[in-house]
């Protein structure tokens, strides 16, 4: 018989004991803000679960202030990620938002001349994703164990970390989900976790989604995870020579040209509104 404690469900908000999405320790989980509070995910940001009601369809539930957060990581793993990675992520997000706002007013090159710590930025993202979807640890235990050890992470075969920019006031966190295209191509985007919060959108996706995301301009940031923590001043133009393009829609958001498939048992959706 499968131990239900090993298969936690989706975006976890209650304070019951469960396995940590990174170390797997069975205990009460801490409140994990995704993305970090320092990146603008502060108390003024509203959040709501996405619910399905008979006769109504999919819609946002009750809106609450307090930022976008889940309880998917234990205190130790949450504190480790916060102290080691989150400042680098917040700095990168802040620089990107300034650059994107400036671009709307001035004619500047597509590639962003921004310094960042690619290893720490990407591992901050991955920590958040393991909190959003602790199911990833069950599917890919070697990924979680690398996060426990700290330092560079090599994604398991078949997974990529993708990145785009997004400047909308909406936000969204999702666990495992598939978005299929209705153009008859049979193509789809399958992600294990996704984070959209101005100015960045991230997806931990399967490689069979690469062509769709690449067609939409999403940058492959998988190699960022291989950088050491001390590489804190790397030029983004080397990591993304053509720049990180802006996407106009949130990944997996309802659309007339796409359809979404997911299990509400393991992948509820949280939406947000940024002031």
């Amino acid at each position: 018989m499968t131990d239900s404690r090993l298969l936690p469900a989706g975006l976890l908000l209650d304070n019951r004991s469960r396995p940590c999405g990174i170390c797997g320790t069975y205990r009460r989980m801490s409140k994990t803000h995704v993305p970090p509070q320092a990146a603008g995910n502060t108390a003024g940001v509203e959040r709501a679960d996405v619910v399905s009601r008979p006769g109504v369809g999919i819609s946002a539930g009750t809106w609450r202030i307090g930022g976008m957060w889940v309880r998917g990581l234990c205190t130790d793993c949450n504190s480790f990620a916060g102290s080691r990675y989150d400042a680098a992520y917040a700095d990168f997000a802040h620089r990107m938002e300034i650059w994107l706002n400036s671009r709307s007013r001035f004619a500047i090159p597509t590639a962003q001349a921004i310094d960042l710590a690619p290893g720490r930025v990407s591992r901050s993202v991955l920590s958040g994703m393991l909190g959003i979807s602790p199911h990833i640890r069950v599917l890919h235990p070697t990924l979680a164990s690398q996060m426990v050890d700290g330092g560079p992470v090599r994604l398991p075969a078949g997974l990529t970390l993708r990145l785009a920019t997004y400047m909308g006031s909406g936000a969204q966190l999702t666990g495992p989900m598939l978005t299929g295209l209705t153009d008859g191509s049979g193509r789809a985007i399958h992600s294990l976790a996704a984070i959209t919060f101005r100015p960045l959108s991230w997806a931990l996706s399967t490689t069979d989604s690469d062509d769709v995301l690449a067609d939409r301009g999403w940058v492959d940031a998988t190699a960022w995870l291989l950088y050491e923590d001390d590489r804190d001043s790397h030029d983004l133009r080397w990591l993304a020579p053509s720049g990180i393009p802006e996407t106009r829609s949130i990944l997996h958001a309802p659309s007339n040209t796409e359809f979404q498939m997911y299990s509400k048992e393991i992948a509820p959706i949280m939406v947000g509104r940024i002031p």
Side-chain angles (χ1 to χ4, degrees):
M1 183 176 180
T2 301
D3 186 346
S4 62
R5 296 183 306 172
L6 299 178
L7 300 171
L11 298 172
L12 308 166
L13 303 177
D14 63 74
N15 199 28
R16 290 179 296 177
S17 296
R18 56 174 61 89
C20 172
I22 293 180
C23 71
T25 303
Y26 190 82
R27 59 195 291 192
R28 289 193 175 186
M29 299 294 104
S30 64
K31 184 184 290 186
T32 305
H33 283 80
V34 184
Q37 289 177 290
N41 187 14
T42 54
V45 175
E46 294 181 288
R47 70 180 183 280
D49 294 337
V50 170
V51 296
S52 179
R53 299 185 178 91
V56 178
I58 295 175
S59 62
T62 303
W63 288 96
R64 298 179 174 87
I65 61 172
M68 307 272 287
W69 55 267
V70 296
R71 293 189 186 272
L73 301 181
C74 70
T75 300
D76 292 341
C77 289
N78 191 16
S79 297
F80 178 84
S83 62
R84 194 158 181 171
Y85 305 136
D86 287 357
Y89 182 91
D91 180 68
F92 177 53
H94 178 65
R95 290 170 183 258
M96 283 295 298
E97 185 159 14
I98 291 175
W99 189 93
L100 288 163
N101 285 329
S102 297
R103 187 182 180 190
S104 65
R105 299 192 298 272
F106 303 104
I108 60 178
T110 301
Q112 297 97 340
I114 294 172
D115 287 340
L116 72 152
R120 284 187 282 146
V121 167
S122 57
R123 286 190 282 280
S124 174
V125 172
L126 198 55
S127 296
M129 289 178 167
L130 288 162
I132 292 169
S133 184
H135 202 72
I136 296 172
R137 183 188 59 80
V138 180
L139 297 174
H140 300 286
T142 59
L143 171 57
S145 64
Q146 291 178 83
M147 291 296 293
V148 171
D149 294 339
V153 171
R154 187 175 298 277
L155 288 184
L159 296 183
T160 58
L161 182 65
R162 290 275 174 173
L163 167 65
T165 60
Y166 176 77
M167 289 298 286
S169 59
Q172 185 166 291
L173 310 178
T174 66
M177 185 173 292
L178 182 145
T179 291
L181 308 188
T182 58
D183 59 4
S185 66
R187 299 193 303 167
I189 302 170
H190 180 201
S191 66
L192 299 186
I195 301 168
T196 297
F197 191 100
R198 189 177 67 214
L200 302 168
S201 189
W202 301 84
L204 181 63
S205 58
T206 57
T207 51
D208 56 7
S209 310
D210 283 351
D211 60 339
V212 183
L213 291 172
D215 287 349
R216 298 182 179 189
W218 285 63
V219 170
D220 188 345
T222 307
W224 294 22
L225 290 162
L226 299 175
Y227 282 86
E228 298 282 355
D229 286 352
D230 59 3
R231 291 293 298 272
D232 58 1
S233 186
H234 202 84
D235 193 328
L236 182 59
R237 291 173 294 183
W238 287 97
L239 298 168
S242 298
I244 301 175
E246 185 174 354
T247 179
R248 300 292 179 179
S249 60
I250 295 178
L251 186 66
H252 300 312
S255 165
N256 293 331
T257 60
E258 302 171 342
F259 63 91
Q260 285 73 40
M261 296 179 63
Y262 65 98
S263 167
K264 65 180 181 180
E265 298 300 321
I266 64 171
I269 311 165
M270 178 181 288
V271 292
R273 298 190 296 211
I274 307 171

